[in-house]
Amino acid sequence: NYAMSNLSFEKLNLPETLETIEDYALNNVIFTALYIPASLQYVGNLLDYLNFPLANNKVIINPDNKIFTIENEMLLSADYKILYKEFSDDNTFEVPYYVEYIKYAAINARNIFIHNTVKEMEDSYLNAEHVFFDGTEEEWKQYSVKSKKIYFNGEYTTEKGVIYAIIDNNVWAVSYDDSIRLITLSSEIMIKEKVYNLFAIGPYAFYKAKLPTKIIIPHGVDTISSNAFNGIINMNNYDEYKLFITKKKTKMGTNIINYLHTDKKITVYC
């Protein structure tokens, strides 16, 4: 436990005789490549709090290792049933249908989609802004897992890369997935065969999103929460950002476009 915690490596080669790595052996370790030998049979929560650059990470597994596999930036058991760690740097992560067991601290994303095919999760708390579960609240109770906000089947939908959820009987734009390239907010959203008007844009809903030059807020939107577009990234070095707010009485929180990653002009049209 904690054998190499808080160290920095360029590459970590595990020897071919190694069979077991205990909990937190690589806690808070910085490295950019990991080699897993054929001999490795068991790992604890070794991948908790890894600080290496996820986008540049390389995990190589000896092809003779029959315990682990790499698939779509995930470290999995060879039968694909256990998720040990996802290595992507994405805003949103969907647990694949074939995963049945999620190890502790396996997921880094701000938004997590979980299917009710998952049988067990080691976490007692998921450190995500939003958790979307395609089962019922009763089904969720089997996991004994908490999070900041959990939405159940029939309480959310995704449309054109924007994630909408029902909050207090109103529909909010709460976040986005990584397929998004243009922010197109719908004025009407269908969730579980019922049509809702878009009521609000939630706090940090489009945090660090790669946005186009123009964002149009539909007429019916009542509220734009604080930090809704905080930290947006200038995708193509545009000269100007344009934010169109079509309802004159829309309530706005603070810092809705604070920390814009550009020195270009922002124009708000009301």
Side-chain angles (χ1 to χ4, degrees), residues 232 239-243 257 260 262 264-268:
I232 59 175
D239 291 329
E240 179 183 12
Y241 275 98
K242 297 177 182 179
L243 176 61
I257 318 184
L260 184 71
T262 178
K264 305 302 182 181
K265 183 171 66 172
I266 305 169
T267 306
V268 179

Side-chain angles (χ1 to χ4, degrees), residues 17-107:
T17 56
L18 186 67
E19 295 183 5
T20 300
I21 302 178
E22 297 291 353
D23 289 347
Y24 312 114
L26 304 179
N27 185 62
N28 211 32
V29 168
I30 300 173
F31 60 89
T32 57
L34 172 65
Y35 173 74
I36 296 177
S39 57
L40 190 65
Q41 302 293 304
Y42 171 82
V43 296
N45 299 321
L46 83 163
L47 295 172
D48 190 21
Y49 304 119
L50 286 180
N51 282 336
F52 54 80
L54 296 176
N56 298 322
N57 178 61
K58 294 181 180 179
V59 180
I60 301 170
I61 298 177
N62 187 310
D64 292 329
N65 187 299
K66 306 304 180 184
I67 306 298
F68 305 102
T69 189
I70 292 290
E71 180 81 13
N72 296 327
E73 297 183 295
M74 295 179 292
L75 178 63
L76 299 157
S77 59
D79 61 4
Y80 292 87
K81 292 183 178 180
I82 303 173
L83 172 62
Y84 289 94
K85 194 70 175 178
E86 59 94 5
F87 297 111
S88 72
D89 197 21
D90 292 340
N91 179 71
T92 300
F93 177 75
E94 180 177 355
V95 178
Y97 279 100
Y98 48 76
V99 169
E100 297 181 2
Y101 191 98
I102 301 175
K103 295 287 284 185
Y104 177 75
I107 304 170

